[in-house]
């Protein structure tokens, strides 16, 4: 089911509110039900206690000591919800006395029920609520007084409330959906205006910008972000145009050279040696042109899926040795102790160009930001058929908030705090792009003023 953005907002809001309303209705129902039961149980307990005081023993069985007075009192009272009272012997089988309103009926007795427990039962076909209280004298149970009231009215109230809540619930949700939909429509109206404006923007009209709302709210931030995006797109297209211009300029020379060579070659018949020389010269120019195109495309796009065909592969341990030899002088100048812990993974091959770009920049950064007289640890292991290189320095470290930004071009963490350390902020950007080119992964962990660990999975 596909819903518009406006309908989705209304739908999700309705779902969230549905849970709240359902919970509120459930609480209301439970509280009303408990209140009804509690009120009825209190009345039953009161009646049972009162009639217990009017009970005496005759021949070891409980009876009402002044039944005539009780019958007269009940005859003169107007009872909205009459109370049924029944007295039984200790076995609960023989009725020794009962209220006149029971007539020929009898209240059920349950031996398994606990004393003073309230429970529902039936008097003929009528639902009642009752309690059975033991008649005790000198700690001995002589019988039971069962007091009951009709529960039909209370049950009707509870059932009626349940039906009202059930019927109102979907009506509330439907009304809430349409109200939410109306409010959502008004809320996204500025977004529709932004959409209409951006639709007018094209490659040839990149100078168009979204008008900023007066209120500096989320829509203001959205408009500002869109304008910022358009600025970046415009700059990217400008770079593309510059790339086209640079490519045309760089390629014009070899193309002109090849054309001139071939034109000279066909003017008259040449010797075999002349043909071979001119053709070889043209092939060299084509190779040079191919290399120029490859370099320009790499600089312009840096596509993560780009891989050089027939690329040179080297053993990773040899590549590490080459990088360390390249930086041996810097290690001596800062008196950094090099610790190389390499397992036997000599046969593991990596792309020479990209592998060197990754390791060279990481090691160079480790030396650059390490403290003098510290250690530089390089670990090489084989894990899950992948070579894992760890470069661990004891240096100034990287602020935790900046770890996610260090691969951004030109970014230098707290660059103002170490102006003496030269750098352009492009090294780790090159590392990331080279890693993407060969499918390598890089993890970084750092502790401020203690050091940084780069883990490269080749």
């Amino acid at each position: 089911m596909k819903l518009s953005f406006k309908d989705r907002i209304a739908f999700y809001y309705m779902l969230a509110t549905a849970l709240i309303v359902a919970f509120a209705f459930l609480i209301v129902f439970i509280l009303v039900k408990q209140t009804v039961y509690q009120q009825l149980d209190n009345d039953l307990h009161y009646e049972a206690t009162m009639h217990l005081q009017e009970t005496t023993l005759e021949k070891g069985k409980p009876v009402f000591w002044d039944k005539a007075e009780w019958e007269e009192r009940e005859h003169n009272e107007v009872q909205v919800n009459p109370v049924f009272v029944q007295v039984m012997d200790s076995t609960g089988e023989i009725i020794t006395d009962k209220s006149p309103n029971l007539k020929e009926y009898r209240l059920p007795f349950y031996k398994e029920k606990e004393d003073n427990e309230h429970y529902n039962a039936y008097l003929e076909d009528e639902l009642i609520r009752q309690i059975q209280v033991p008649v005790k004298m000198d700690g001995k149970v002589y019988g039971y007084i069962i007091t009951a009231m009709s529960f039909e009215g209370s049950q009707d109230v509870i059932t009626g409330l349940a039906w009202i809540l059930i019927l109102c619930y979907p009506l509330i949700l439907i009304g809430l959906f349409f109200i939410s939909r109306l409010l959502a429509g008004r809320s996204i109206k500025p977004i529709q205006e932004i959409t209409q404006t951006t639709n007018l923007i094209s490659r040839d009209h990149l100078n168009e910008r979204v008008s900023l709302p007066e209120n500096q709210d989320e829509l203001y931030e959205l408009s500002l972000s869109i304008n910022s995006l358009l600025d970046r797109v415009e700059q990217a297209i400008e770079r593309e145009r510059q790339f086209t211009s640079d490519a045309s300029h760089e390629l014009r020379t070899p193309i002109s050279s090849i054309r001139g060579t071939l034109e000279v070659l066909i003017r008259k018949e040449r010797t075999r040696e002349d043909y071979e020389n001119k053709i070889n010269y043209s092939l060299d120019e084509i190779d040079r042109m191919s290399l120029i195109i490859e370099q320009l495309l790499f600089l312009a796009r840096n596509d993560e899926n780009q891989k050089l065909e027939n690329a040179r592969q080297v053993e990773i341990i040899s590549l590490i040795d080459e990088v360390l030899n390249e930086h041996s002088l810097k290690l001596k100048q800062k008196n950094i102790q090099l610790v190389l812990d390499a397992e036997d993974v000599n046969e593991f091959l990596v792309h020479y160009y990209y592998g060197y770009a990754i390791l060279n920049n990481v090691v160079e950064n480790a030396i650059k930001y390490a403290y003098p007289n510290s250690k530089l640890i390089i670990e090489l292991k084989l894990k899950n058929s992948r070579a894992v290189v760890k470069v661990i320095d004891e240096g100034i470290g990287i602020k935790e908030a900046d770890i996610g930004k260090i691969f951004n071009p030109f970014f230098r963490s707290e660059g103002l705090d170490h102006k003496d350390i030269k750098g352009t902020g492009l090294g780790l950007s090159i590392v990331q792009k080279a890693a993407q080119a060969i499918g390598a992964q890089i993890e970084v962990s750092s502790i401020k003023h203690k050091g940084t660990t780069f883990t490269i999975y080749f």
Side-chain angles (χ1 to χ4, degrees):
M1 181 176 61
K2 295 183 178 179
L3 298 176
S4 64
F5 180 64
K6 177 175 64 176
D7 289 340
R8 286 203 305 273
I9 293 177
F11 181 71
Y12 294 146
Y13 181 75
M14 184 193 70
L15 285 181
T17 309
L19 295 176
I20 297 174
V21 172
F23 181 75
F25 278 11
L26 182 62
I27 294 299
V28 169
F29 179 77
I30 292 174
L31 289 177
V32 171
K33 183 178 180 180
Q34 288 182 343
T35 301
V36 170
Y37 272 91
Q38 186 65 41
Q39 184 64 41
L40 196 58
D41 290 346
N42 289 340
D43 291 344
L44 282 173
H45 185 75
Y46 170 78
E47 292 290 342
T49 303
M50 183 182 68
H51 288 96
L52 185 62
Q53 297 173 356
E54 298 175 347
T55 305
T56 186
L57 293 177
E58 288 185 2
K59 299 180 181 181
K61 295 181 179 180
V63 294
F64 293 118
W65 58 270
D66 194 354
K67 185 175 180 181
E69 180 182 348
W70 177 55
E71 290 178 352
E72 181 180 354
R73 184 176 69 234
E74 288 202 345
H75 178 74
N76 294 329
E77 290 178 350
V78 178
Q79 295 182 331
V80 178
N81 193 8
V83 180
F84 304 104
V85 183
Q86 178 177 289
V87 184
M88 309 187 74
D89 64 2
S90 59
T91 64
E93 297 178 357
I94 300 174
I95 299 175
T96 58
D97 215 341
K98 63 179 181 179
S99 58
N101 54 9
L102 276 174
K103 300 180 180 179
E104 72 275 10
Y105 303 117
R106 62 178 291 168
L107 297 174
F109 175 78
Y110 301 96
K111 292 183 178 180
E112 66 274 9
K113 297 293 183 181
E114 296 184 1
D115 296 341
N116 300 304
E117 178 183 354
H118 298 87
Y119 55 90
N120 292 339
Y122 282 92
L123 180 61
E124 293 301 311
D125 294 330
E126 182 178 357
L127 181 64
I128 59 174
R129 183 80 171 167
Q130 69 180 41
I131 180 176
Q132 52 194 45
V133 180
V135 179
K136 294 182 179 180
M137 290 186 182
D138 299 327
K140 182 179 178 181
V141 177
Y142 289 91
Y144 294 90
I145 290 182
I146 303 177
T147 307
M149 288 185 178
S150 174
F151 196 60
E152 293 286 346
S154 300
Q155 186 63 35
D156 290 342
V157 171
I158 295 172
T159 304
L161 176 63
W163 277 108
I164 290 173
L165 295 179
I166 292 173
L167 294 176
C168 288
Y169 186 68
L171 296 178
I172 291 174
L173 295 186
I174 293 172
L176 182 64
F177 174 78
F178 286 104
I179 294 174
S180 302
R181 191 173 183 273
L182 176 64
L183 296 177
R186 292 182 178 180
S187 299
I188 66 172
K189 188 175 181 181
I191 299 179
Q192 295 173 340
E193 295 175 356
I194 292 175
T195 303
Q196 293 173 358
T197 303
T198 53
N199 287 336
L200 299 176
I201 299 173
S202 64
R203 182 184 180 90
D204 297 325
H205 297 86
L206 285 174
N207 57 336
E208 296 286 342
R209 294 294 182 269
V210 176
S211 300
L212 298 177
E214 295 181 359
N215 297 326
Q216 295 190 7
D217 51 11
E218 289 81 359
L219 293 178
Y220 179 90
E221 295 295 331
L222 174 63
S223 302
L224 204 61
S225 299
I226 292 175
N227 288 339
S228 177
L229 174 62
L230 291 173
D231 290 337
R232 294 194 297 272
V233 170
E234 187 174 13
Q235 293 171 5
I237 290 179
E238 285 299 323
R239 288 196 298 270
E240 180 185 345
R241 290 171 180 167
Q242 185 64 43
F243 162 74
T244 304
S245 176
D246 293 342
S248 300
H249 176 75
E250 293 293 333
L251 296 174
R252 188 179 293 115
T253 300
I255 290 175
S256 299
S257 179
I258 294 172
R259 182 180 181 83
T261 300
L262 294 177
E263 286 178 347
V264 170
L265 194 63
I266 63 174
R267 283 179 183 173
K268 63 178 181 178
E269 188 174 346
R270 306 281 181 176
T271 64
R272 179 182 178 86
E273 185 179 355
D274 288 338
Y275 280 117
E276 288 179 353
N277 290 335
K278 296 298 182 183
I279 290 173
N280 287 329
Y281 174 80
S282 298
L283 289 174
D284 290 340
E285 287 299 307
I286 290 173
D287 290 340
R288 187 164 74 90
M289 186 169 58
S290 297
L291 181 59
I292 292 173
I293 292 173
E294 182 181 304
Q295 291 173 338
L296 288 173
L297 290 174
F298 180 79
L299 293 173
R301 295 185 305 184
N302 286 303
D303 188 349
E304 64 181 66
N305 294 320
Q306 177 187 2
K307 294 183 181 180
L308 299 179
E309 298 294 335
N310 302 320
R312 178 185 171 190
Q313 301 283 322
V314 297
E315 293 181 354
I316 190 168
I317 187 64
S318 300
L319 192 59
I320 293 175
D321 288 338
E322 182 178 343
V323 171
L324 293 177
N325 288 332
E326 180 72 22
H327 297 285
S328 59
L329 180 60
K330 296 177 182 178
L331 290 169
K332 290 180 181 179
Q333 289 174 345
K334 297 187 72 171
N335 194 28
I336 296 176
Q337 180 184 355
L338 176 64
V339 179
L340 179 60
D341 180 12
E343 292 183 354
D344 187 15
V345 290
N346 294 336
E347 297 181 357
F348 192 90
L349 301 178
V350 296
H351 188 289
Y352 174 77
Y353 177 76
Y354 289 117
Y356 183 85
I358 294 170
L359 293 174
N360 182 63
N361 280 284
V362 172
V363 171
E364 184 179 11
N365 269 8
I367 298 172
K368 184 188 300 183
Y369 294 104
Y371 292 125
N373 306 312
S374 61
K375 286 184 181 180
L376 175 62
I377 303 173
I378 298 180
E379 297 178 356
L380 172 61
K381 296 181 180 179
L382 193 64
K383 183 178 181 181
N384 298 329
S385 301
R386 300 185 71 176
V388 181
V389 179
K390 280 190 177 183
V391 180
I392 308 168
D393 67 68
E394 296 176 350
I396 63 177
I398 305 170
K399 187 169 64 174
E400 184 177 356
D402 291 343
I403 290 180
K405 306 174 186 176
I406 59 176
F407 294 105
N408 296 339
F410 305 106
F411 179 81
R412 299 189 70 194
S413 178
E414 299 179 310
L416 296 178
D417 294 342
H418 41 79
K419 295 180 181 178
D420 55 314
I421 302 177
K422 296 181 180 180
T424 62
L426 290 174
L428 291 181
S429 178
I430 294 173
V431 168
Q432 185 186 48
K433 291 170 184 175
Q436 290 172 344
I438 61 174
Q441 295 176 343
I442 302 173
E443 294 178 357
V444 184
S445 61
S446 184
I447 300 176
K448 199 79 173 74
H449 304 303
K450 290 189 177 182
T452 303
T453 299
F454 276 81
T455 307
I456 306 110
Y457 298 86
F458 287 96

